[in-house]
Amino acid sequence: ASKDEKELFRLFEKDIRNMTINEGVVLLRLVDRECGMSGYEIIKNYESGFAAGFWQGVAKLFGQNLKNKYDPDGEDKMTEELVKVWEKGEFDQLYFSIFFEWPKKTVIPEKYR
């Protein structure tokens, strides 16, 4: 792994390890939205077909499918609405109005923004 990969892993490891299954599914769907590759495709391309098959099997045990694609007009419609709120810069206010606290954020170094 490159120096950048190691640094990004270090920055986000705690957040990712503490995710619920549903949060992980949303993360994978958002990654697909941004890069056009499902979780299965990413694992297959960056690790191996065997690893992708293994993790697909694990996902199936939890009722998920890593091959699902982001669908802004169907299954991911509510997520897409939240993304639009985020893109308008209104997400923090929405979060506060629901939970009465500001969202926790991981600080991302400028060079990765």
Side-chain angles (χ1 to χ4, degrees):
S2 73
K3 180 182 170 193
D4 287 341
E5 286 176 289
K6 288 178 184 174
E7 183 176 356
L8 287 170
F9 182 77
R10 182 188 58 75
L11 282 170
F12 294 105
E13 179 181 16
K14 182 179 178 189
D15 295 326
I16 292 171
R17 289 193 189 275
N18 290 322
M19 283 184 175
T20 65
I21 292 169
N22 287 335
E23 289 169 337
V25 168
V26 171
L27 175 61
L28 283 174
R29 301 302 278 260
L30 290 171
V31 168
D32 183 11
R33 181 185 186 273
E34 289 299 311
C35 70
M37 290 184 357
S38 69
Y40 182 87
E41 293 167 320
I42 291 169
I43 297 167
K44 185 177 178 185
N45 289 337
Y46 291 96
E47 292 293 328
S48 68
F50 177 79
F54 172 80
W55 288 111
Q56 174 69 351
V58 171
K60 289 285 190 176
L61 288 173
F62 291 96
Q64 302 300 324
N65 185 348
L66 295 178
K67 294 180 181 181
N68 284 352
K69 300 292 289 173
Y70 187 79
D71 181 9
D73 299 315
E75 186 176 348
D76 299 304
K77 188 174 182 131
M78 288 181 12
T79 302
E80 186 66 19
E81 290 178 24
L82 287 173
V83 168
K84 289 177 181 174
V85 169
W86 176 270
E87 289 173 341
K88 287 192 238 175
E90 300 170 355
F91 184 82
D92 288 359
Q93 291 82 6
L94 175 63
Y95 187 96
F96 187 85
S97 74
I98 296 168
F99 300 107
F100 303 107
E101 65 181 23
W102 296 105
K104 297 176 183 84
K105 296 182 181 178
T106 299
V107 178
I108 303 169
E110 186 68 36
K111 67 181 181 177
Y112 296 117
R113 292 186 213 166

